Amino acid sequence: MAERTVRIGSSHGLHARPAKLFTQAASKSGSKVTVAKGSGAPVNAASILAVISLGVDHGDYVTLTADGDNAEQVLDGLVELLVTDHDE
């Protein structure tokens, strides 16, 4: 299992559009991926409703975990999505 903590780059947080990109990538990854805001409980990163319900704002930190053969590569791609400002 791999884990990373990352700061959200989108200026409006993890709202519908960036959350959709993130959950689609998590779903297609072939790994079991979770995301948690701060010290909160982790949720399924492939579920857009679960991800949006976290209420992640710009500058918040989230922790990602991935379990699978390619967990490090999966997290590399997901981290890139989260640090990018999709609201520019």
Side-chain angles (χ1 to χ4, degrees):
M1 182 176 294
E3 181 177 296
R4 306 256 179 91
T5 299
V6 62
R7 187 170 182 249
I8 299 300
S10 280
S11 56
H12 296 290
L14 205 50
H15 62 86
R17 186 167 20 110
K20 178 183 175 186
L21 296 172
F22 174 74
T23 58
Q24 286 176 337
S27 179
K28 292 177 184 175
S29 72
S31 293
K32 181 178 189 240
V33 182
T34 64
V35 59
K37 179 181 172 182
S39 61
V43 300
N44 180 355
S47 167
I48 193 163
L49 291 177
V51 170
I52 289 176
S53 74
L54 292 174
V56 178
D57 294 319
H58 171 76
D60 285 347
Y61 286 88
V62 295
T63 300
L64 303 172
T65 61
D67 193 13
D69 293 337
N70 58 346
E72 291 293 338
Q73 292 83 6
V74 167
L75 290 184
D76 288 344
L78 293 175
V79 164
E80 185 64 31
L81 284 171
L82 293 177
V83 299
T84 302
D85 187 354
H86 298 282
D87 298 315
E88 289 187 315

